[in-house]
């Protein structure tokens, strides 16, 4: 069923044609593949589809297995003329790249890097080039950035020469760092400890970045939004695997995180949720669906 969520390895063009085909409908969807194939773990579940070239069922467009979530989708995104997708401010895990200067200063580095990945800023770099990453900022003539990575299932922070990595927009701004792989894709999952990244703090490909804010207050407001049940319900429309790429946030509505926002981001997460429910005129049944299906985050 991953193709219904435009996820997985199926070509995106095929997914698009399938979702826009008016002669196709989903007869049944089972998110737990083991209920149909006991020995198979199929991320995203299994779908039974029906095609009839003589009948027009209307294009699926965006598939949601829950009627409540489908009605929320229409209110928040499809029928909302002011909708702006949140993924406009989500930066992919490949935003940070090694520069030409890195290879000039470390000519033997290419021998330790797989072919085709010469500029990847992966967590593996911290292992392969441990002599170039420092626990403390060196006292020399070079400028350094702080890099968040992952090692032995723990987050680590290292200092790395700034001229050896490119300069994506979030680097000099406040942002939120979130693991690129998170959970299994089941709706209602919590995010794995997102954190506010300060200016001159970058990240390896283990993380995606959200936002490029001028103030910490805006970043904190964005973090509060990500923790809401409402936001994570909207993420659940497209995120059905552990993959947490920018595309998965396309149905999440972008908000104003400044002090002029129509949402008071200083409130408790549950109170922010209540404001969002009111903003998008969610019904009692829709609110109940979110409150029951989505786990709370502190």
């Amino acid at each position: 069923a991953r193709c219904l969520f435009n996820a997985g390895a199926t070509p995106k063009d095929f997914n698009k044609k399938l979702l826009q085909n008016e002669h196709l409908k989903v007869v049944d969807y089972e998110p737990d593949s083991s209920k149909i194939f006991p020995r198979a773990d199929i991320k995203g579940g299994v779908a039974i589809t029906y095609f009839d070239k003589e009948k027009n069922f209307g294009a699926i467009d965006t598939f949601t297995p829950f009627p409540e979530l489908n009605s929320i989708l229409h209110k928040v995104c499809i029928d909302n003329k002011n909708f702006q997708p949140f993924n406009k401010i989500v930066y992919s895990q490949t935003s940070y790249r090694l520069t030409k200067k890195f290879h000039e200063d470390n000519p033997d580095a290419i021998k330790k890097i797989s072919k085709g990945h010469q500029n990847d800023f992966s967590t593996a770099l911290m292992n392969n080039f441990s002599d170039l990453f420092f626990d403390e900022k060196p006292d020399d003539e070079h400028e350094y950035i702080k890099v968040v990575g992952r090692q032995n299932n723990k987050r680590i922070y290292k200092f790395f020469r700034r001229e050896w990595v490119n300069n994506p927009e979030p680097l000099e701004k406040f942002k939120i760092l979130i693991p690129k792989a998170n959970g299994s894709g089941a709706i209602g999952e919590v995010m794995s400890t997102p954190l506010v990244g300060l200016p001159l703090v970058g990240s390896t490909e283990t993380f995606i970045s959200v936002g490029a804010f001028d103030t910490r207050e805006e970043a904190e407001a964005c973090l509060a939004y990500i923790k809401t049940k409402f936001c994570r319900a909207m993420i659940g429309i497209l995120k059905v695997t552990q993959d947490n790429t920018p595309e998965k946030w396309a149905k999440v509505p972008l908000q104003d995180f400044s002090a002029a926002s129509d949402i008071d981001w200083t409130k408790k997460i549950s109170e922010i949720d209540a404001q969002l429910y009111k903003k998008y005129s969610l019904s009692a049944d829709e609110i109940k669906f979110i409150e029951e299906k989505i786990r709370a985050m502190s």
Side-chain angles (χ1 to χ4, degrees), residues 24-272:
L24 183 82
K25 69 176 182 178
V26 178
V27 177
D28 196 12
Y29 169 74
E30 175 51 64
D32 183 358
S33 62
S34 66
K35 292 182 179 179
I36 298 176
F37 302 107
R39 299 177 185 176
D41 178 18
I42 304 173
K43 302 299 182 185
V46 177
I48 299 172
T49 57
Y50 175 75
F51 177 82
D52 189 335
K53 68 179 181 180
E54 303 297 334
K55 293 183 179 180
N56 187 326
F57 303 114
I60 296 170
D61 189 36
T62 301
F63 175 74
T64 57
F66 306 100
E68 299 91 345
L69 191 56
N70 189 55
S71 63
I72 293 170
L73 169 67
H74 277 78
K75 282 184 179 179
V76 174
C77 306
I78 298 173
D79 300 330
N80 181 4
K81 65 180 181 179
N82 296 317
F83 174 78
Q84 292 290 325
F86 188 82
N87 67 339
K88 289 173 63 175
I89 66 167
V90 182
Y91 298 82
S92 79
Q93 74 275 14
T94 58
S95 295
Y96 293 90
R97 310 288 288 168
L98 292 173
T99 62
K100 182 179 179 180
K101 178 67 173 171
F102 172 82
H103 293 289
E104 290 175 350
D105 293 344
N106 304 279
D108 293 332
I110 196 72
K111 299 176 183 178
K112 295 184 180 181
I113 302 176
S114 302
K115 186 177 180 181
H117 298 276
Q118 288 86 348
N119 297 318
D120 289 5
F121 199 59
S122 65
T123 294
L125 286 172
M126 292 182 172
N127 296 322
N128 296 334
F129 303 100
S130 57
D131 56 323
L132 303 180
F133 287 86
F134 305 93
D135 293 327
E136 301 293 335
K137 185 178 179 180
D139 184 14
D140 56 28
E141 72 277 13
H142 300 291
E143 187 176 359
Y144 289 83
I145 65 169
K146 201 170 187 178
V147 179
V148 183
R150 193 166 181 84
Q151 203 170 63
N152 299 321
N153 290 322
K154 292 183 179 181
R155 288 182 183 175
I156 58 172
Y157 300 83
K158 299 283 186 177
F159 287 94
F160 189 71
R161 288 256 294 270
R162 183 173 182 178
E163 61 188 338
W164 288 346
V165 67
N166 66 339
N167 193 44
E169 187 178 9
L171 180 58
E172 297 181 2
K173 304 282 188 174
F174 291 92
K175 59 272 180 180
I176 310 301
L177 300 177
I178 304 175
K180 187 257 179 185
N182 185 90
S184 65
I187 192 168
E189 293 177 329
V190 301
M191 291 290 170
S192 298
T193 321
L195 59 97
V196 173
L198 303 180
L200 295 184
V201 172
S203 58
T204 66
E205 292 181 2
T206 301
F207 299 88
I208 60 173
S209 294
V210 178
F213 303 108
D214 292 326
T215 67
R216 179 159 192 153
E217 287 75 19
E218 290 174 289
E220 294 284 1
C222 182
L223 178 58
Y225 182 49
I226 290 170
K227 289 182 177 181
T228 63
K229 290 186 175 184
F230 172 83
C231 177
R232 288 179 292 114
M234 301 308 292
I235 295 170
I237 292 172
L238 295 179
K239 186 182 180 301
V240 294
T241 67
Q242 67 174 1
D243 210 19
N244 192 18
T245 59
E247 294 77 14
K248 304 301 186 294
W249 299 70
K251 301 304 179 182
V252 179
L254 183 61
Q255 306 291 333
D256 179 358
F257 297 113
S258 73
S261 176
D262 55 351
I263 303 295
D264 185 350
W265 301 110
T266 65
K267 298 292 187 179
K268 295 179 180 178
I269 302 300
S270 59
E271 294 178 78
I272 295 174

